[in-house]
Amino acid sequence: MGFEGADPGTVRPGGRTARVRSAVLQAAGDALAEHGFAHLDLADIARRAEVGKTTVYRRWGTVTSLVADLLLDMAEQSLPRTETGSLLGDLKANARLVQRTLADPRQGALFKAVIAAATCEAKTAEALHRFYDIRVKEWAPCVQQAVDRGEVPEGTDVHEVIRAVSAPLYYRLLTSSDCLDAAAADQAAEAAVAAARAGAYLRGDEGRA
Amino acid sequence: MGFEGADPGTVRPGGRTARVRSAVLQAAGDALAEHGFAHLDLADIARRAEVGKTTVYRRWGTVTSLVADLLLDMAEQSLPRTETGSLLGDLKANARLVQRTLADPRQGALFKAVIAAATCEAKTAEALHRFYDIRVKEWAPCVQQAVDRGEVPEGTDVHEVIRAVSAPLYYRLLTSSDCLDAAAADQAAEAAVAAARAGAYLRGDEGRA
DNA sequence: CCCATAACGGGACTCCAGTTTCGTTAATCA
DNA sequence: TGATTAACGAAACTGGAGTCCCGTTATGGG
């Protein structure tokens, strides 16, 4: 009697278990980037990771659940942001980073696949949301600095400004066949700055026109 | 001899064939909205549509291919846009329309599923891109009118302004758990107008800051 | 109205994604 | 360092998604 063991991987997370996890997550990323989310099978991932397929099924069970764990892993690896001294410079740096990531064949495909997976299961969606919350929080300070400098009105929702930079890039990635170039990134940053200056992102009551 | 018949449904598209197609597309929409893109099986769709599953497999074959056809169908049904006389008014109307659609449980889930499907197959992605091209083209004239009025600088990429309205709403739908309310719609419209006025969407060379 | 055949539909069949079983390896603790 | 057992992995198994076969329905052309 007593408790049935908790999920596998939680009691002895060291050594082999950790090695298996990172090998599987690596393989999952590769497979997602290659085949996309739909045509994905866990046995293939197990083969790539040189791990028994039983193990993959036992620890993750479903593709979406594996993607959720992958997102947890991705959220932990954060690139430090650059600081240029001006809001436009900082946001352009951010936009270029996003643009380069999404335009990269492997990373771009991976992000598409991860977003697709998140639309299919609440738990995976939650992991994706957490991932973006972290990224947004990392970059928000540069907008706060602009507020402090007086470049942008007091009361601006700084997180929303960061999201405004990424949004058009993701929208283009998903809904159009246009290429994601540096010009698109710069445009996204410029638009966000212009809108922020005009008070479009004032928190609480909706700003004036 | 001669040609093997073209794809089923093209030679005798009337009567039964058309009835089957619309029943299946309807059922596909329901199933996508309910189960999401991942846990979808064509036999279930056939059952809902009261159609033989052989038929569904013969005419569409895969889920992504069926979604591509669904998108073709969705693209044909267009709502006429409203005209308010001001750019902000028109874009707010557009933003509210998008927001209401995405916030609606069935439609929102359907759009998520359709986007997920498009990330998995080129043909489906193309259908999705065409769908959005049509929607954008439908609304672009209101921006053009604003250019003519002098509300927005000459040389503005009018399609990009329309996309700028939708982008943050889709970005929020996919990457956050925040609710999509009317305030979000208005903010999207206001930001797009502010950025457009500031010349952030000038075509060709990247605009000034 | 009638014929030729496109398209549909039921049911049997296949094949592989996902499960179960049980023996092996190695992480943790004393 | 050795005992305990969590976690792994090979192989056999199973259910249902997707295919195939062939008889039936009804469209479109003459």
Side-chain angles (χ1 to χ4, degrees):
Chain A
M1 61 222 59
F3 298 93
E4 298 297 306
D7 324 57
T10 56
V11 180
R12 286 180 186 177
R16 181 167 59 169
T17 298
R19 234 157 25 238
V20 165
R21 176 169 183 256
S22 75
V24 169
L25 293 185
Q26 172 72 42
D30 293 348
L32 280 175
E34 250 176 66
H35 303 319
F37 166 66
H39 319 281
L40 200 60
D41 100 86
L42 297 189
D44 175 55
I45 291 177
R47 222 172 301 124
R48 288 171 188 252
E50 296 180 305
V51 151
K53 81 167 177 168
T54 313
T55 300
V56 177
Y57 279 106
R58 184 170 30 232
R59 285 190 58 183
W60 292 281
T62 67
V63 174
T64 50
S65 174
L66 177 54
V67 172
D69 197 28
L70 178 63
L71 279 163
L72 205 67
D73 191 61
M74 286 168 68
E76 278 158 16
Q77 307 153 9
S78 74
L79 329 174
R81 82 188 146 91
T82 48
E83 301 230 15
T84 66
S86 82
L87 179 61
L88 182 61
D90 290 352
L91 293 189
K92 269 190 181 175
N94 180 21
R96 291 279 184 110
L97 181 64
V98 172
Q99 175 260 319
R100 263 182 279 120
T101 303
L102 298 184
D104 174 73
R106 183 183 184 282
Q107 295 261 299
L110 176 59
F111 271 79
K112 278 189 198 173
V114 154
I115 289 168
T119 67
C120 298
E121 199 161 82
K123 188 180 140 199
T124 311
E126 206 187 317
L128 185 75
H129 300 164
R130 196 151 33 231
F131 173 82
Y132 283 105
D133 280 349
I134 290 172
R135 292 298 159 105
V136 168
K137 280 217 184 76
E138 248 162 39
W139 282 88
C142 77
V143 183
Q144 187 54 54
Q145 285 164 15
V147 173
D148 297 342
R149 265 185 250 123
E151 242 190 288
V152 160
E154 196 77 31
T156 293
D157 182 339
V158 295
H159 297 104
E160 202 55 37
V161 176
I162 298 299
R163 290 195 196 97
V165 174
S166 289
L169 301 174
Y170 277 86
Y171 187 73
R172 184 182 284 219
L173 175 77
L174 294 170
T175 72
S176 97
S177 45
D178 306 350
C179 80
L180 263 173
D181 50 15
D186 290 349
Q187 187 177 68
E190 279 157 19
V193 170
R197 283 204 184 123
Y201 300 116
L202 287 172
R203 222 186 344 257
D205 55 12
E206 276 319 285
R208 1 59 42 98
Chain B
M1 64 219 59
F3 298 93
E4 298 297 309
D7 324 57
T10 56
V11 179
R12 284 181 188 174
R16 181 167 59 169
T17 299
R19 234 156 27 237
V20 165
R21 177 169 182 255
S22 77
V24 169
L25 292 185
Q26 172 71 43
D30 293 348
L32 279 174
E34 249 176 66
H35 303 319
F37 166 66
H39 319 282
L40 201 58
D41 100 86
L42 297 191
D44 174 54
I45 291 176
R47 222 171 303 125
R48 288 170 188 254
E50 297 181 304
V51 150
K53 81 169 175 167
T54 314
T55 300
V56 177
Y57 278 106
R58 186 173 29 234
R59 286 190 59 184
W60 292 280
T62 67
V63 175
T64 51
S65 174
L66 177 55
V67 172
D69 197 28
L70 179 63
L71 280 163
L72 206 67
D73 191 61
M74 286 167 68
E76 278 157 18
Q77 307 155 6
S78 73
L79 331 174
R81 81 189 146 89
T82 48
E83 302 229 15
T84 67
S86 82
L87 180 60
L88 182 61
D90 290 352
L91 294 188
K92 270 191 180 172
N94 180 21
R96 290 279 184 109
L97 181 63
V98 173
Q99 175 260 319
R100 263 182 281 119
T101 304
L102 299 184
D104 174 73
R106 183 183 184 281
Q107 295 262 297
L110 176 59
F111 271 79
K112 279 190 196 173
V114 154
I115 290 168
T119 68
C120 297
E121 198 161 81
K123 188 178 139 200
T124 311
E126 206 187 316
L128 185 74
H129 300 165
R130 196 150 34 230
F131 173 82
Y132 283 106
D133 281 349
I134 290 172
R135 292 298 160 108
V136 168
K137 280 215 184 76
E138 248 162 40
W139 282 87
C142 78
V143 184
Q144 186 55 53
Q145 286 164 13
V147 173
D148 298 342
R149 263 185 252 123
E151 243 191 287
V152 160
E154 195 77 30
T156 292
D157 182 339
V158 295
H159 297 103
E160 202 55 37
V161 177
I162 298 299
R163 290 197 196 96
V165 174
S166 289
L169 301 174
Y170 277 86
Y171 187 73
R172 185 182 284 217
L173 175 76
L174 294 170
T175 72
S176 96
S177 45
D178 306 349
C179 79
L180 264 173
D181 50 14
D186 290 349
Q187 187 177 67
E190 279 158 19
V193 170
R197 282 202 184 123
Y201 300 116
L202 287 171
R203 222 186 346 256
D205 53 14
E206 274 322 286
R208 1 54 47 93

